Amino acid sequence: MKSGADVTRPEEVWDRYFPPSVRNLPTRDYLASATLPRPRDLIFLVKTALEFAVNRGRGRITEADILSAQMQYSYFALNSVLAEATPRIPEIDDLLLEFAGRHEIVNGDEIKVAMRRADISETRLAEVVDILTEITFIGPEILPDRFEFINDEDSLMKTRVMARKLSEESGHPTRYRINPVFHEFLEIAPERVLAVGQLRMDISSEK
């Protein structure tokens, strides 16, 4: 694959080296929604997809290359949130692995079960839920079938209030969605199509 030195416009990079869509989404939208909103994550996914393309003798990245890279990126992303949360929850590794193979929507009772199996006291439920929300592993339901993933303290407070109000209005405990970023590695079973709640990066070439 060439270095791209002959590309005169950023838009040409997408046209020349990337597929037009991935899983029926425009490629840029897919890449932005399939990674945590940090430049290093996007770089990791694209670089890994490029390595798959080169190893397969291709002159451009295909949808298959991006999907193959998704598994490696999912593991990379999980390790990054583990490193972030371990000082606060030493058992976080065991806890997150308890969600492997589950459906993507969980409730407080299911989180308690995972905590118990990871040897974390159930009395820490509120603390653990807050931490899992802060590291964007889960996003609470703030409107019917809309789950919000956050990455700052101000958003956490607002999201917590909206989730509580929805729970009070519906008469049901708060539900949480496991971030799709981690689905590949943990083999999470997706639900039906849900409203988008993932914070995204703007990776368009137009300013």
Side-chain angles (χ1 to χ4, degrees):
M1 185 178 292
K2 297 180 181 179
S3 65
D6 56 339
V7 172
T8 59
R9 296 182 301 108
E11 191 68 29
E12 290 183 51
V13 174
W14 296 102
D15 294 340
R16 187 175 300 187
Y17 299 115
F18 290 86
S21 64
V22 179
R23 288 180 172 165
N24 299 317
L25 283 176
T27 298
R28 279 176 287 187
D29 290 344
Y30 179 85
L31 292 174
S33 65
T35 56
L36 295 176
R38 304 178 298 201
R40 67 178 183 183
D41 288 61
L42 179 62
I43 291 170
F44 183 97
L45 180 57
V46 171
K47 181 180 178 182
T48 305
L50 176 60
E51 290 172 353
F52 273 108
V54 170
N55 290 337
R56 292 164 175 170
R58 296 179 177 140
R60 57 180 287 141
I61 295 170
T62 67
E63 179 178 13
D65 297 322
I66 292 175
L67 294 180
S68 294
Q70 193 72 48
M71 170 64 80
Q72 291 189 24
Y73 167 70
S74 186
Y75 180 66
F76 167 84
L78 188 67
N79 279 331
S80 71
V81 298
L82 285 173
E84 181 181 346
T86 295
R88 302 167 69 184
I89 309 177
E91 310 89 349
I92 189 70
D93 194 347
D94 292 334
L95 175 62
L96 297 192
L97 288 177
E98 285 296 331
F99 292 98
R102 292 179 178 269
H103 287 282
E104 64 176 322
I105 306 301
V106 297
N107 57 35
D109 287 340
E110 290 171 301
I111 295 175
K112 281 183 180 179
V113 171
M115 290 171 59
R116 190 184 313 127
R117 291 174 175 170
D119 291 326
I120 301 173
S121 171
E122 294 179 16
T123 62
R124 298 180 64 191
L125 176 64
E127 174 194 359
V128 168
V129 166
D130 274 353
I131 293 173
L132 294 182
T133 303
E134 287 176 32
I135 65 175
T136 68
F137 183 76
I138 59 173
E141 186 176 25
I142 60 171
L143 294 170
D145 287 338
R146 180 178 178 85
F147 299 80
E148 191 74 12
F149 301 105
I150 62 93
N151 68 346
D152 63 78
E153 188 172 347
D154 290 339
S155 296
L156 175 64
M157 295 296 294
K158 182 187 73 172
T159 300
R160 184 189 294 145
V161 170
M162 293 181 70
R164 188 194 72 233
K165 288 182 177 180
L166 177 63
S167 176
E168 291 172 350
E169 292 170 359
S170 67
H172 299 293
T174 299
R175 300 190 304 164
Y176 305 89
R177 184 187 185 193
I178 298 174
N179 197 321
V181 165
F182 309 107
H183 287 191
E184 289 291 333
F185 180 72
L186 293 177
E187 299 185 35
I188 300 295
E191 303 284 342
R192 57 190 174 83
V193 176
L194 299 166
V196 174
Q198 174 68 47
L199 289 173
R200 298 186 178 190
M201 292 176 288
D202 181 4
I203 59 174
S204 68
S205 57
E206 300 177 358
K207 299 293 184 182

